[in-house]
Structure formats: structure tokens, C-alpha cells
């Protein structure tokens, strides 16, 4: 199951009220959840998927296997202590992206830095994952030219 912001889909129905919707308890609150694969169109391609869910990033990715195949770029804020709250790790998150054919980078000192899928993040870090199935040369060249 995966977190998704409450919003209306093309049929003007709230995704979180679908039959497959469920909840997860966070502290004293119950939060509705739904898989991205169940809420987003099965035919659309996505340029960017931005995920910032305070440690539940691996859960989001696990519920987005179809979306990941059709997504050029995934941006994720990664922080190991938050991931541990959900019995996850940055290593598992990066390995999942790597197994879905993404090149992994972070942004440091105005430079795109390649990441190994075993990197851990004791400080908060943004991960940029570029899908190898799409031509990313335009993005990489923009970043490299910015670095000069």
C-alpha cells in the first residue's frame, strides 16, 4: 500500500475512497492510503514523480511498479532515521530504483553526483533517479553545462 495525496482523478472521484483504499496508523491518526498504480492512468507517461512522505518512500515505490516503468525522473527526499520508522532503509530504496532501471544521483555543490545503490543517508539528501529506458541525455547535458 502506498500514500497518495487526496485529489480527484479524471472521473472526479477521490482515489482514496476506492474499494482498494485502506488506512495506516501514524501515531494517533489513521491515514488513508492507496497504491499509485491504482490511482494513476495506466497509459500516461510521467516526466517527474516527486516523493516526500517522511520515511514512507519505499512503500510508495512498492505500490508504483507500473508508474515507475512510465516515469522519466523520480525525485525523493531520503533520510535514514525517517525510513527506519517504517522498517525501511535507504539501501532498500536505492536497490528498488536500481532494479527498476534507474540511474541514481544526488545534487551536491551544484553537481550531479552518481550514487551506488548501497549508499546510506544519515543526513537528509535528495535523490534524483533517471529512468534508463528514456533518453535522459538532454537532462544530463543541462546539468553538466550548469556545472562548468
Amino acid at each position: 500500500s502506498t500514500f497518495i495525496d487526496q485529489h480527484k482523478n479524471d472521473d472526479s472521484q477521490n482515489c482514496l475512497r476506492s474499494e482498494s483504499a485502506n488506512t495506516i496508523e501514524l501515531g494517533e491518526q489513521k491515514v488513508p492510503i492507496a497504491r499509485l498504480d491504482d490511482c494513476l492512468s495506466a497509459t500516461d507517461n510521467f516526466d517527474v514523480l516527486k516523493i516526500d512522505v517522511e520515511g514512507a518512500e519505499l512503500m510508495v515505490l512498492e505500490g508504483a511498479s507500473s508508474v515507475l516503468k512510465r516515469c522519466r525522473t523520480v525525485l525523493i527526499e531520503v533520510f535514514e532515521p525517517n525510513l527506519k520508522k517504517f522498517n525501511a532503509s535507504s539501501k532498500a530504496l536505492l536497490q528498488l530504483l536500481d532494479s527498476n532501471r534507474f540511474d541514481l544521483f544526488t545534487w551536491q555543490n551544484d553537481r550531479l553526483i552518481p550514487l551506488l545503490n548501497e549508499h546510506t543517508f544519515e543526513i537528509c539528501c535528495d535523490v534524483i533517479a533517471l529512468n534508463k529506458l528514456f533518453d535522459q541525455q538532454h537532462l544530463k547535458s543541462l546539468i553538466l553545462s550548469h556545472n562548468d
Side-chain angles (χ1 to χ4, degrees), residues 90-91 93-95 98 103-106 113-121 127:
S90 53
K91 181 178 178 180
L93 188 143
L94 295 177
Q95 286 176 342
D98 183 59
D103 288 323
L104 306 170
F105 302 90
T106 191
I113 309 294
L115 291 174
L116 300 174
N117 64 9
E118 298 168 359
H119 194 92
T120 59
F121 300 92
V127 172

Side-chain angles (χ1 to χ4, degrees), residues 93-143:
L93 188 143
L94 295 177
Q95 286 176 342
L96 187 143
L97 286 167
D98 183 59
S99 70
N100 279 278
R101 297 184 170 180
F102 281 87
D103 288 323
L104 306 170
F105 302 90
T106 191
W107 187 258
Q108 278 183 353
N109 301 322
D110 292 331
R111 295 197 183 279
L112 197 63
I113 309 294
L115 291 174
L116 300 174
N117 64 9
E118 298 168 359
H119 194 92
T120 59
F121 300 92
E122 294 305 324
I123 60 169
C124 193
C125 182
D126 291 321
V127 172
I128 303 160
L130 303 178
N131 193 323
K132 296 175 186 177
L133 300 178
F134 290 90
D135 176 20
Q136 297 288 352
Q137 196 56 44
H138 66 285
L139 179 60
K140 290 178 182 176
S141 64
L142 282 173
I143 292 169

Side-chain angles (χ1 to χ4, degrees), residues 63-78:
S65 59
S66 175
V67 169
L68 288 175
K69 292 175 183 154
R70 298 175 286 117
C71 184
R72 289 180 181 268
T73 307
V74 179
L75 304 175
I76 304 177
E77 183 182 89
V78 180

